[in-house]
Amino acid sequence: MTIDDKPDDFDQGDVDTVRRRLRLDQNHPNYKWIALSNTTLGVLMATINSSIVIISLPAIFRGIHLDPLAAGNVSYLLWLLMGYLLASAVFVVAFGRLGDIHGRVKVYNLGFVVFTFASVLLCFDFLDQGAGAMWLIVWRVVQGIGGAMLMANSAAILTDAFPSNQRGMALGINQVAAVAGSFLGLIIGGVLSEWSWQAVFWVSVPIGVLGTVWAYRSLHEVAARVAGRLDWWGTVTFAVGLIALLSGITYGIQPYGDSPTGWGNPWVLGAIIGGIAFLGAFCWVESVVAQPMFHLSLFRNRAFGLGNLAGLMASVGRGGLQFMLIIWLQGIWLPLHGYSYESTPLWAGIYLLPLTVGFLAAGPVSGYLSDRYGARPFATGGLALVAVTFVLLLVIPVDFDYWVFAAIVFLNGVGSGLFSSPNTAAIMSSVPAEQRGAASGMRATFFNAGSALSIGIFFSLMIAGLSHTLPGALTSGLTGQGVPADVANTVAGLPPVGSLFAAFLGFNPIQELLGPTGVLGQAGVNTDVLTGQSFFPNLISGPFHSGLVVVFVAAAILMVIGSVASLLAGGRYVHDEAEELREADDRALADH
């Protein structure tokens, strides 16, 4: 077996873990498959819920009788989107470390309990309007904490349970479920919200109950626990820093003063600078404490450090793609093809199915092949293919032929599938057994933080692109349909984020922009044309494409960076366990 960059030899913790796994294989031959199926169910449930509210937000806000676009209500919208992602990103490393100390299965099982409990309470919102939104936000955060427990330990449990020659396949299936869940959440949320907004949260309850009972009855601790205690200073500085940084970037998409974005807002800048400072303090704390939450030295391992960099780039790009394609479909393509604005959230999820199919087709295969040929060709080639698809999305017209669009997003899914499984296996196979929980948590942090970052980054890039071209198009288009010039100029001067959020939520953007002015009922104003299916899509097509150029070029650059990182990360990071066990026995005999 050729290994490009073989890690350091197993320490005693690695050897003990392998021996415990071998004994478990003898007593419970099917245990590794039970662990795979249960952890896959856990991460699938966690990641479905990371995106399930994106499509169902209109139904949720109607259910609690709250207008998300009204002044002062945008924060509710952002936190319903971000609360779960922030909690998942912030706590995974701490829960991974707790798993190393107290048992990965124990923390993982508790995650099922917390997640299910929060899902039940999300279904019973007895409050209304702002209070109702706060109830949902709080329990979404708790749900995210449960999801963090599941995601932090699932990959470590599988790495412990599977031998090295099957680890890529197992982690590949698990990672495919994690990424596919974020795609499937769009479809499931759209379908269920057509029935009832509470059903969006109810769907997790039976799955959570089943997973909880199954996990407590079936999973076993394989890895030896690490003696130690939780690094509170590291945990606090990491949590505060990441929350401040991601919150600041997210609030950067809100207008501030005369600016279409909030990047000049002192509070946004303060949150970002403060967040970076706290993360710097976290790095210092981890370098001096006796028992750090996370061993920063792992980043000196090429497979771990560059693999996580590639994972972050892929996660940011994937999140940005989801949001941009949803706005593209809901704001332009679907209305132009006869779909009412109210129905566009559901159909956007359905028309994005090729993306999910491509991912599901490639993910397991690449995981299996990476066990034989190494992670590098699949991870590198996968992100290179994703970069090409971002360029192809710029070539097609805004009012595209669907089958051309479907083929491109299918290839995007294939590229993501080729990358995700081998990259996860390479990362998790490169760390010692006693640090797998914290390492799995850090990998999940990059995964979840990338999704959160994508909202702020790509919305800001789109707004920047629209702000130069949309005002002129709005002014000429509105006045051409009888809207008084002063009203048209005022509406055209509003930040583009309002139009984007309206389209994103399935509202008619022109109705939302002109409704408060009262001009839609005036004589001489072509109200039917203005609020029809084609006026806004035709109006925004040119400016939107200008924004897409900025967004997708940036996304393609991120994918190239990730592809290069994968190329430089090295080849096969797979321990020869039999050889390591023989070496450990020889050392033990020599000591005696």
Side-chain angles (χ1 to χ4, degrees):
M1 178 182 295
T2 302
I3 300 177
D4 292 350
D5 241 338
K6 185 176 178 180
D8 295 336
D9 288 345
F10 275 7
D11 60 18
Q12 191 59 44
D14 293 300
V15 174
D16 291 344
T17 298
V18 173
R19 285 191 168 132
R20 292 175 69 165
R21 178 182 58 74
L22 293 175
R23 286 196 298 270
L24 189 63
D25 281 345
Q26 290 180 342
N27 298 327
H28 304 280
N30 295 320
Y31 173 74
K32 60 187 176 183
W33 304 112
I34 293 171
L36 174 61
S37 52
N38 188 277
T39 56
T40 298
L41 177 67
V43 298
L44 182 65
M45 183 178 69
T47 53
I48 282 175
N49 279 272
S50 70
S51 61
I52 198 168
V53 301
I54 294 175
I55 294 293
S56 53
L57 277 174
I60 292 172
F61 280 115
R62 284 195 301 269
I64 60 175
H65 308 105
L66 184 70
D67 180 2
L69 298 177
N73 288 345
V74 175
S75 293
Y76 294 132
L77 168 64
L78 289 177
W79 278 104
L80 268 175
L81 284 173
M82 293 293 299
Y84 183 94
L85 293 174
L86 274 177
S88 299
V90 165
F91 291 107
V92 283
V93 178
F95 288 136
R97 175 60 177 163
L98 284 173
D100 290 337
I101 297 171
H102 299 291
R104 291 158 192 165
V105 169
K106 180 182 290 186
V107 177
Y108 174 86
N109 291 351
L110 182 60
F112 256 125
V113 174
V114 173
F115 192 99
T116 306
F117 179 72
S119 298
V120 171
L121 291 177
L122 280 165
C123 301
F124 297 104
D125 191 346
F126 304 106
L127 304 172
D128 216 13
Q129 299 188 3
M134 284 304 302
W135 173 275
L136 294 176
I137 290 168
V138 167
W139 289 110
R140 280 283 290 172
V141 169
V142 175
Q143 196 182 45
I145 292 172
M149 293 180 180
L150 295 170
M151 295 188 70
N153 292 281
S154 61
I157 290 171
L158 289 179
T159 306
D160 294 338
F162 276 83
S164 58
N165 64 339
Q166 294 181 325
R167 196 171 290 154
M169 177 274 300
L171 288 168
I173 292 173
N174 190 260
Q175 183 66 7
V176 164
V179 180
S182 64
F183 296 141
L184 291 171
L186 302 176
I187 302 167
I188 295 171
V191 172
L192 292 178
S193 63
E194 289 291 304
W195 174 35
S196 167
W197 71 267
Q198 285 99 335
V200 172
F201 303 115
W202 265 121
V203 68
S204 298
V205 175
I207 298 174
V209 171
L210 170 65
T212 301
V213 174
W214 184 15
Y216 273 101
R217 289 177 60 89
S218 304
L219 297 183
H220 302 275
E221 297 287 1
V222 177
R225 298 180 188 180
V226 179
R229 62 181 184 272
L230 186 63
D231 168 22
W232 286 106
W233 282 109
T235 301
V236 170
T237 52
F238 183 78
V240 172
L242 197 58
I243 289 172
L245 178 63
L246 295 179
S247 298
I249 291 174
T250 301
Y251 275 93
I253 68 178
Q254 289 200 58
Y256 176 71
D258 295 329
S259 174
T261 62
W263 293 104
N265 186 335
W267 289 105
V268 169
L269 295 176
I272 293 173
I273 295 171
I276 293 172
F278 269 96
L279 291 176
F282 163 75
C283 293
W284 178 79
V285 168
E286 299 306 276
S287 67
V288 298
V289 297
Q291 297 180 11
M293 177 178 75
F294 180 80
H295 290 271
L296 295 174
S297 60
L298 284 177
F299 284 112
R300 291 199 292 268
N301 180 320
R302 281 199 298 157
F304 185 83
L306 293 177
N308 275 304
L309 173 62
L312 176 63
M313 296 297 100
S315 183
V316 173
R318 183 169 53 249
L321 178 74
Q322 283 183 349
F323 284 105
M324 291 305 107
L325 293 186
I326 288 170
I327 293 173
W328 192 347
L329 288 170
Q330 292 183 195
I332 299 176
W333 195 84
L334 287 169
L336 284 177
H337 290 259
Y339 295 88
S340 67
Y341 282 99
E342 292 76 13
S343 68
T344 56
L346 169 62
W347 286 101
I350 293 172
Y351 276 109
L352 286 176
L353 268 174
L355 185 66
T356 306
V357 172
F359 186 88
L360 292 175
V365 174
S366 68
Y368 171 78
L369 292 176
S370 69
D371 284 333
R372 297 180 55 125
Y373 303 108
R376 179 188 289 172
F378 302 99
T380 303
L383 285 191
L385 177 59
V386 174
V388 171
T389 62
F390 279 120
V391 176
L392 291 176
L393 285 170
L394 293 176
V395 175
I396 62 175
V398 174
D399 187 14
F400 47 76
D401 181 306
Y402 176 71
W403 294 110
V404 175
F405 173 84
I408 295 173
V409 297
F410 173 81
L411 289 176
N412 186 283
V414 169
S416 292
L418 289 174
F419 165 80
S420 295
S421 304
N423 185 65
T424 302
I427 290 172
M428 293 305 300
S429 294
S430 69
V431 298
E434 75 276 5
Q435 296 181 38
R436 282 175 185 161
S440 176
M442 185 60 75
R443 183 197 63 81
T445 291
F446 284 110
F447 180 91
N448 292 324
S451 300
L453 283 170
S454 66
I455 296 176
I457 292 173
F458 285 97
F459 262 106
S460 294
L461 290 174
M462 175 56 74
I463 292 167
L466 287 177
S467 61
H468 296 292
T469 52
L470 184 58
L474 267 175
T475 300
S476 60
L478 293 176
T479 54
Q481 298 300 324
V483 175
D486 58 333
V487 175
N489 289 327
T490 300
V491 169
L494 295 174
V497 68
S499 299
L500 289 180
F501 276 154
F504 180 68
L505 292 169
F507 292 98
N508 186 322
I510 296 298
Q511 182 73 50
E512 295 298 317
L513 290 172
L514 292 180
T517 68
V519 303
L520 292 176
Q522 294 180 4
V525 176
N526 297 325
T527 301
D528 291 340
V529 174
L530 289 169
T531 58
Q533 295 291 109
S534 60
F535 178 78
F536 180 78
N538 286 324
L539 182 73
I540 202 176
S541 292
F544 182 79
H545 191 268
S546 300
L548 277 184
V549 171
V550 177
V551 167
F552 284 159
V553 166
I557 292 172
L558 293 180
M559 296 307 100
V560 171
I561 293 172
S563 181
V564 172
S566 295
L567 180 65
L568 298 177
R572 306 188 68 176
Y573 291 83
V574 178
H575 298 283
D576 186 336
E577 294 178 345
E579 178 185 344
E580 297 293 347
L581 289 172
R582 285 194 300 271
E583 290 178 2
D585 290 337
D586 291 342
R587 286 196 297 269
L589 288 173
D591 291 341
H592 286 83

